[in-house]
Structures are given as structure tokens and as C-alpha cells.
């Protein structure tokens, strides 16, 4: 037959009709997917258990860090509150936010 299909007037390019040369696909083989259980060596219960252990380790690390630095954090905020109440305007980190050119607000 004719290698070029009938084209409408608006198409810029006509390609040959090669559908008879394309082998028929076996759709059953395409739908035969490997189950997830075969792809993952662990069961979902094991993965959930690992996730819970990681979350517990993260929470424990936060708790330990908080307890190790709790006194420093309390001292920092106590000093900041004392400075604010005294009207000094100085930060516990040093410097004065009222007089600093970077943070000063125009009057």
C-alpha cells in the first residue's frame, strides 16, 4: 500500500503508517508486576518497628540535649529578663540593640 497516510490540509508533516510493522504487545505480560513483598526483604511490620525505633532515638536525643543545657538556657533567659527589667537595654550576648546601628529604629 501507500507508505504515506492521507493528510489533512492543516498538518505540517505526514509520517508513514507503520502500524503493521509494530509487533503485537502481550498485555498480560505488562500487567504481571512483581509483588512488593518480593522487592522488599523486610515486612511492613519490621519497617514500622525500625521507624518507631528511629523516632524514639530522636526523642531521647532531644531529651538528653535539653536536660544537658537546661541550666544554661534558664540562666540566659534570667539574665535577659533582669537586663530588661533594669532598663539597661543590653543583650546577654553583648552589645546594645538600642544603640546598634544595624538594629536601631529611626526616631
Amino acid at each position: 500500500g501507500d507508505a504515506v497516510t492521507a493528510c489533512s490540509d492543516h498538518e505540517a508533516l505526514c509520517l508513514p503508517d507503520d502500524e503493521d510493522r509494530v509487533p503485537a504487545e502481550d498485555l498480560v505480560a505488562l500487567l504481571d508486576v512483581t509483588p512488593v513483598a518480593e522487592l522488599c526483604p523486610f515486612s511492613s511490620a519490621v519497617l514500622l518497628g525500625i521507624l518507631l525505633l528511629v523516632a524514639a532515638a530522636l526523642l531521647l536525643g532531644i531529651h538528653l540535649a535539653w536536660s544537658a543545657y537546661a541550666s544554661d538556657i534558664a540562666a540566659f533567659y534570667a539574665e535577659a529578663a533582669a537586663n530588661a527589667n533594669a532598663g539597661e537595654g543590653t543583650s546577654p550576648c553583648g552589645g546594645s540593640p538600642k544603640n546598634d546601628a544595624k538594629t536601631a529604629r529611626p526616631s
Side-chain angles (χ1 to χ4, degrees):
D2 191 7
V4 178
T5 60
C7 297
S8 69
D9 294 336
H10 302 289
E11 292 180 339
L13 177 66
C14 294
L15 299 175
D17 185 8
D18 291 339
E19 287 186 24
D20 55 339
R21 296 182 187 174
V22 177
E25 296 179 16
D26 187 9
L27 296 178
V28 175
L30 290 175
L31 295 175
D32 186 25
V33 180
T34 305
V36 176
E38 292 180 19
L39 297 175
C40 185
F42 304 112
S43 70
S44 59
V46 172
L47 292 176
L48 180 62
I50 291 171
L51 178 67
L52 290 174
L53 287 175
V54 168
L58 179 64
L59 290 173
L60 179 64
I62 291 171
H63 177 74
L64 291 176
W66 188 266
S67 63
Y69 293 105
S71 60
D72 294 336
I73 294 169
F76 175 83
Y77 284 111
E79 184 179 346
N83 289 341
N85 290 336
E88 295 176 13
T90 57
S91 166
C93 298
S96 174
K98 292 181 182 176
N99 299 326
D100 189 4
K102 294 179 186 174
T103 59
R105 294 183 182 164
S107 300

